[in-house]
Amino acid sequence: MSNKKIVLASDHAGFSLKEELRRYLEDKGYLLEDYGAFASEPVDYPDYALKAARAVAARKFQLGILICGTGIGMAIVANKIPGIRAACCQDCFSARAAREHNDANILTLGARVIGPGLAMMVVENFLEASFQGGRHQRRLEKISSIEKCSG
Ligand code: RB5
């Protein structure tokens, strides 16, 4: 467990899994902020992904966890923000590799894809892994260059 600050956000489809994950992570002592949604009425995932991704890009948080029905919409939106490397992972191996190889700063999950038990394990793998640097750093620098010259 680290003292990283983590932002959580979801749309309506991810709301109930977000609530479960928040309680689970709070019990483990993680420093969390919840950017909503705060109910299961339909909302639009881009609004929640944008707010949380901007806060991670501004380094208000070290990591983010975004949950929608599939995890896909949240990842698409978050990856529009410069500096964000959002990874949609529904298994532990990918979640760990997303941190170790890609230095992903946002994990996205699909509440309609995985159940809460697996989601918790995926999140723990993501939060406990660290970027390995080395050859992976050179690849991240290439991603940053692409980001700077596209648009
Ligand atoms: C909402 O119905 C659903 O489209 C959304 O949660 C997400 O899966 C989008 O990627």
Side-chain angles (χ1 to χ4, degrees), residues 11-13 45 68-70 72-73 112:
D11 68 356
H12 56 289
Y45 62 82
C68 60
T70 58
I72 296 169
R112 293 173 179 161

Side-chain angles (χ1 to χ4, degrees), residues 21-87:
L21 281 174
R22 182 170 49 72
R23 285 190 291 271
Y24 177 77
L25 293 171
E26 274 169 359
D27 285 350
K28 291 201 158 252
Y30 283 101
L31 301 170
L32 301 177
E33 206 163 316
D34 186 348
Y35 274 17
F38 298 109
S40 48
E41 276 77 52
V43 291
D44 297 332
Y45 62 82
D47 300 335
Y48 294 85
L50 180 63
K51 190 177 170 205
R54 279 184 170 155
V56 173
R59 301 189 194 284
K60 188 167 179 214
F61 303 97
Q62 282 73 53
L63 296 172
I65 300 169
L66 306 182
I67 310 162
C68 60
T70 58
I72 296 169
M74 288 294 200
I76 290 172
V77 177
N79 279 318
K80 301 281 182 206
I81 306 302
I84 292 301
R85 291 175 300 278

Side-chain angles (χ1 to χ4, degrees), residues 91-106:
D91 68 273
C92 296
F93 176 83
S94 302
R96 181 161 289 275
R99 289 286 305 123
E100 290 181 347
H101 291 207
N102 311 110
D103 200 16
N105 46 16
I106 291 186

Side-chain angles (χ1 to χ4, degrees), residues 2 4-5 12-13 16 18-19 35 38 55 58-59 75-76 78-79 84 99 108 122 128 144 147 150:
S2 73
K4 289 187 191 101
K5 281 195 77 186
H12 56 289
S16 125
K18 172 177 67 67
E19 294 300 291
Y35 274 17
F38 298 109
R59 301 189 194 284
I76 290 172
N79 279 318
I84 292 301
R99 289 286 305 123
T108 74
V122 168
E128 284 169 10
S144 297
E147 202 169 62
S150 61

